[in-house]
Amino acid sequence: MGITRRWTTAAVAALAFIGGGVTVPAADAAASCRGYACDGKNPHTTGCDQDAKNVGNPIRGGGGPAVQLRTSARCSAAWVIIEKGDHAWRGWIQIRGGALYDVNAKPSRPAYSLMVGTSHAYRACKRDADGGTICGGWH
């Protein structure tokens, strides 16, 4: 009968420190913010995009690229992604009565906004072809 070993993230990190060459997989690394502490931070560099899920349907009306609201349960945070397109197209995530974090489309790839903690009331919005605003519901 063989012995089964299960390595914890802390054990792997300790081995990496002692012996070098062993790295902790990104999915196992702890997120660097949670809730309000994520306000204004990047979902990728904080690790919050590791468990990202789309919320509702993308906002497609008004021409231009769609804007999709995304959340991370791990970080209790939300942000928007705008599909690739001309940089003049703009989307954002808005906190009710507060800040908004906008993002312009990029021609080569989708782009994402900074985050807000999901304890806020928040929604996704985009600029339409006529310069008006189209927003999803509050969450």
Side-chain angles (χ1 to χ4, degrees):
M1 186 184 244
I3 297 173
T4 303
R5 290 190 177 135
R6 185 169 177 204
W7 294 89
T8 66
T9 301
V12 172
L15 285 174
F17 179 75
I18 295 167
V22 178
T23 58
V24 178
D28 290 343
S32 64
C33 68
R34 185 158 177 80
Y36 291 121
C38 291
D39 287 359
K41 293 191 177 165
N42 181 310
H44 180 68
T45 59
T46 57
C48 294
D49 63 348
Q50 297 290 323
D51 72 334
K53 295 194 180 349
N54 292 337
V55 176
N57 294 318
I59 301 170
R60 297 192 182 279
V67 171
Q68 177 68 58
L69 183 62
R70 296 190 51 94
T71 62
S72 164
R74 172 182 178 177
C75 294
S76 296
W79 63 95
V80 297
I81 290 185
I82 188 168
E83 292 175 345
K84 63 183 180 177
D86 183 285
H87 72 277
W89 293 101
R90 182 175 159 236
W92 61 91
I93 188 162
Q94 176 183 12
I95 298 172
R96 188 187 306 256
L100 65 89
Y101 297 107
D102 64 344
V103 59
N104 287 75
K106 297 185 184 304
S108 59
R109 62 181 168 76
Y112 51 87
S113 71
L114 299 177
M115 299 184 292
V116 303
T118 55
S119 299
H120 298 293
Y122 60 93
R123 67 180 180 177
C125 299
K126 72 177 263 189
R127 183 75 57 213
D128 69 17
D130 297 325
T133 298
I134 301 171
C135 295
W138 290 100
H139 295 271

